[in-house]
Amino acid sequence: METDPVDDGGGHEQGQGIRDLAGVLPYAAILLLMPPIILIFTAPVQIAGIPLIVVYLFGVWALIVAGAFIVAERLRRQETATGPHAPRRRAGRG
């Protein structure tokens, strides 16, 4: 079994997970805003006088923005901790 010279006992795996999450976040946002999902919330229901579809759209938008902020902050912290020139392991190589 080969050892990864960059792996320092778990930090690499967490960093990879954060990068994976950053890659998946836009696709999750697109999925949540596609018609098959949005059509679920087109019922004539109001929450505090606001149509359900509007609450859903703004709620998803707020979650996307908050998620992007959290992911960006964690990526920034990881880069600060490891240094901007730390070698990264690429998929399919090794």
Side-chain angles (χ1 to χ4, degrees):
M1 184 170 159
E2 294 181 29
T3 59
D4 185 8
V6 178
D7 191 9
D8 59 348
H12 177 72
E13 293 300 323
Q14 181 183 8
Q16 183 65 38
I18 294 169
R19 284 192 299 274
D20 289 346
L21 182 60
V24 169
L25 188 63
Y27 295 109
I30 289 170
L31 179 70
L32 289 172
L33 296 173
M34 292 295 287
I37 304 293
I38 282 186
L39 291 177
I40 296 170
F41 298 95
T42 58
V45 176
Q46 293 191 351
I47 299 174
I50 303 170
L52 181 62
I53 186 73
V54 174
V55 172
Y56 175 75
L57 287 174
F58 278 98
V60 167
W61 172 77
L63 287 174
I64 292 167
V65 170
F69 175 77
I70 291 168
V71 168
E73 186 64 26
R74 288 187 179 176
L75 284 171
R76 185 191 62 79
R77 279 192 216 152
Q78 177 193 3
E79 186 174 294
T80 303
T82 60
H85 302 294
R88 293 187 182 143
R89 197 168 94 189
R90 305 242 180 214
R93 297 185 185 216

